[in-house]
Amino acid sequence: KAGVTQTPRYLIKTRGQQVTLSCSPISGHRSVSWYQQTPGQGLQFLFEYFSETQRNKGNFPGRFSGRQFSNSRSEMNVSTLELGDSALYLCASSLDRTAYGYTFGSGTRLTVV
Amino acid sequence: GNSVTQMEGPVTLSEEAFLTINCTYTATGYPSLFWYVQYPGEGLQLLLKATKADDKGSNKGFEATYRKETTSFHLEKGSVQVSDSAVYFCAPAESQGNLIFGKGTKLSVKP
């Protein structure tokens, strides 16, 4: 059974640019969440999508956005990149959050220069 | 929202030593509780979970018990191995379902 797949694994972008990250959840999982991991702030929740609708959102500026497609694949977009956006972005999918928790992907390492 | 306080690391142990990583949380209601582990250069792996009071989660020799009286979910292992070296995260769920992560505890196990 394939796990959660995130692409690309590594990205280098310049300040002011925008970036799109992709996540393919485990087959059958309709919930997809995104988290940002930095050394200073740790792991922080960005947003969650379920059946193509944003179900929950963390405390991030509007430059961070996401969407989910009918096949449950999800993308997140960061516009007008800042140096502080450099982080590991983790995607997680779930069949039932309470019963099973989340399965995480290996992440996309974004570096903004 | 919920919050979590996790034992600061790093923790360095010798192989076969006993491990405890403390985790306490504040929450409304009784959230599901999780421990995740992160190996270098990788994402998070679910280690164990407990969904209601007095539940004991266990996996790979690790255990944690949901203590609602003390709002704690301490992680324990009786005999650690070098391969257990990683960063461990305690994570209660918010009422909306997202996870709140502790700062993480880095464990190094020496042979």
Side-chain angles (χ1 to χ4, degrees), chain A residues 9 35 37 40-43 45 48 56 88 90 97-107, chain B residues 32 34 36 38 41-46 49 51 89 94-103:
Chain A
R9 285 298 306 273
Y35 289 80
Q37 185 177 27
Q41 299 300 315
L43 282 151
F45 170 69
E48 180 196 9
N56 191 10
L88 180 66
L90 293 165
R97 299 172 298 173
T98 300
Y100 305 113
Y102 295 89
T103 301
F104 282 80
S106 297
Chain B
S32 295
F34 303 89
Y36 279 86
Q38 187 173 36
E42 297 185 15
L44 301 170
Q45 294 180 24
L46 177 62
K49 63 177 173 65
T51 58
F89 294 91
E94 290 264 43
S95 57
Q96 304 96 315
N98 58 286
L99 299 176
I100 299 294
F101 286 92
K103 296 285 188 188

Side-chain angles (χ1 to χ4, degrees), chain A residues 1-111:
Chain A
K1 187 175 181 181
V4 178
T5 304
Q6 291 189 246
T7 56
R9 285 298 306 273
Y10 302 93
L11 266 179
I12 300 176
K13 290 287 187 178
T14 304
R15 264 184 307 176
Q17 287 187 313
Q18 74 164 10
V19 66
T20 299
L21 313 181
S22 180
C23 172
S24 293
I26 291 173
S27 178
H29 288 195
R30 290 193 291 164
S31 166
V32 175
S33 299
W34 290 88
Y35 289 80
Q36 181 197 64
Q37 185 177 27
T38 60
Q41 299 300 315
L43 282 151
Q44 294 184 287
F45 170 69
L46 280 155
F47 29 65
E48 180 196 9
Y49 286 86
F50 182 85
S51 294
E52 302 180 64
T53 301
Q54 188 179 86
R55 180 156 70 173
N56 191 10
K57 186 177 186 302
N59 190 26
F60 276 80
R63 299 185 297 108
F64 292 81
S65 63
R67 60 178 175 168
Q68 187 180 33
F69 302 95
S70 58
N71 61 358
S72 292
R73 190 178 70 85
S74 178
E75 291 181 345
M76 69 163 280
N77 183 276
V78 188
S79 62
T80 319
L81 283 166
E82 301 176 359
L83 295 179
D85 297 333
S86 295
L88 180 66
Y89 290 88
L90 293 165
C91 170
S93 73
S94 179
L95 181 64
D96 181 320
R97 299 172 298 173
T98 300
Y100 305 113
Y102 295 89
T103 301
F104 282 80
S106 297
T108 294
R109 173 74 63 185
L110 171 65
T111 302

